[in-house]
Amino acid sequence: MPNQNRQSDKSFKGKRNSKKRYVTYRRAQKNKALSQPKTKESVSIAFLGGMNEIGKNMTLYEYKNDMFIVDCGLAFPNADLPGVDLVIPDFSYVEKNADKIKGVIVTHGHEDHIGGLAYLLKKINVPIYATKLTVGLIRGKLEEHGLLAKTKLVEIKPRDNITLGSFNIEFIHVNHSIPDAVGVAIRCPAGVIIQTGDFKIDTTPVDGDMIDLPRFAEFGKKGVLALLSDSTNAERPGYTASEKSVGESFELLFRKAKNKRIVVATFASNIHRVQQIIDVANSRGRKVAVIGRSLENLVSVGSELGYLNVPQGILIDINLIKNYADDKLVIITTGSQGEPMSALTKMAFGEHRKVSLTPNDYVIVSATPIPGNEKMVGNVVNELMKHDIEVIYEKMYDVHVSGHACQEELKLMMGLVKPKYFIPVHGEQKHLQKHANLARAMGINPENIYIGNIGDKIRLSNDELKVEESVTAGEVYVDGLGVGDVGNIVLNDRKRLSKDGIIIVVATIDSENGYVVSGPDLVSRGFVYVRENEELMSSARDLACRIIDESYDNKYRDWNSVKTKLRDEISRLMYEKTKRNPMILPILMEI
């Protein structure tokens, strides 16, 4: 009997183990079926921004008649775009396919990912999917543009899944310099595509919520068709430091400030940084005032949604700072990038209406200059130091850490995801190339690595990566209330005006006999100082008078040809005398 029982037990255990193996096998097959295409299905990706540039991130996914967008950001203008306020993506391709767009996924709340949304929603009305804080920041922008009431905002959480047509999108938590940042795993019949969004791997994040590496690894085990990964810090070796290290530096610097008033300039969107400044200020018995519209909005939204813990009574209005001694104050301000109209720049040059800096101020610039902004930041630091103000900036102490992954973190992401195809995104050409080199070092087939450009459209299948026709994409300039009405012609005129100035030629002519009744008068702006160049201006005036006399015809009054001749001849004279090319603007009036 005992032997029979043991035999029965073995038989039962064998059946049970066999059943377990069968269930495990079926689950594996099901997971494999979800992640791997059964047929040679393909998915298209169009890059509408964020390639070969910093900012303006926008990617469009397309499968048959279904499309959706990941992010819609802006970029800030450089010195080559005088007068331009913002740069947004060209939405022509999106407008052309408006009926196919199922929604917009937003990975986090930075301007280079949400700044273009209001302008997009004026063209097409689609749902927006984002995490709680990101939705809060988007809501403020849409309210400014009068779009909030008619826009559908859907709040999601990490590990949530949504379906947009043929696409199923899962949100994966990542660390960044703003809370509630996510990457996305995109399932479709062609396979799984992972787009990281902006990320870093912070093992000691300020909010205590580490990047969801296990979920990335799970997708890697099942099979990932393509990985689109943040390239911003691809040139930097090692790992990005934890945001918590900045808090420790603030502790040290606040002690060193002693009895001075502390002014901290930081990115308006870095809520973790603002939290640490408030925490240290509170521990040192200092009140905090916030300057800058975007920073004030972040503090308001962050406090309201519970992402910012502000002790009762610590925040004061900027108009009340005169009521407090210097050693009882911390001012948090915008302007860490040296922007000409920012609060810190105005303070440095003595132009701020509410804050005047003195040698008893201790200024901390808690940011790294964005590529291209180094000179502007340097100008602000130099101006502050001219007035004997002590300035602490990024290279002196650990007052800033990046929100983007360095090389070892980027390699770890590739190692976990194990993509068939790799596409570096979010960076200039040097960043994309460095990231591609890392992918090759990780063993990804060089033929499966694609470095794209804005306007490129590629088609991915399990068998090939194919470059399709380019789509309409590029830059649209926002200037005041105008969107897209400033183009190359206007910008070239602005550059020429800023470089060589303008001469306006004004004359009034008798319509009956062709005599010059008044003028020609010459007005110079940005060219020469008239009082010191009277001989030159007199020669130009005589030349203008002669051209008008010679060109006037009672029968055929072709004012355009007269203006063209005035423009050409006066321009030639000015170049001969000064080797400059001012803009010549003739104005002729008949009476």
Side-chain angles (χ1 to χ4, degrees), residues 276-317:
Q276 293 190 98
I277 295 168
I278 290 174
D279 290 344
V280 178
N282 187 47
S283 70
R284 307 292 299 177
R286 291 178 181 253
K287 299 290 186 183
V288 176
V290 177
I291 301 179
R293 186 180 175 189
S294 54
L295 196 51
E296 291 168 12
N297 181 57
L298 179 84
V299 171
S300 174
V301 173
S303 301
E304 181 184 337
L305 298 179
Y307 289 90
L308 200 59
N309 179 26
V310 182
Q312 186 73 28
I314 193 171
L315 283 181
I316 62 169
D317 189 274

Side-chain angles (χ1 to χ4, degrees), residues 518-530:
S518 175
D521 294 322
L522 272 70
V523 180
S524 171
R525 291 290 182 270
F527 173 56
V528 293
Y529 185 49
V530 175

Side-chain angles (χ1 to χ4, degrees), residues 5 17 58 113 128 167 189 194 271 321 392 404 423 426 478 482 514 529 573 581:
N5 287 336
N17 290 337
M58 188 174 184
H113 292 256
I128 309 295
F167 295 97
I194 288 182
I271 200 167
I321 60 174
I392 307 298
H404 301 271
I423 304 167
H426 303 181
V478 178
Y529 185 49
L573 173 68
N581 283 306

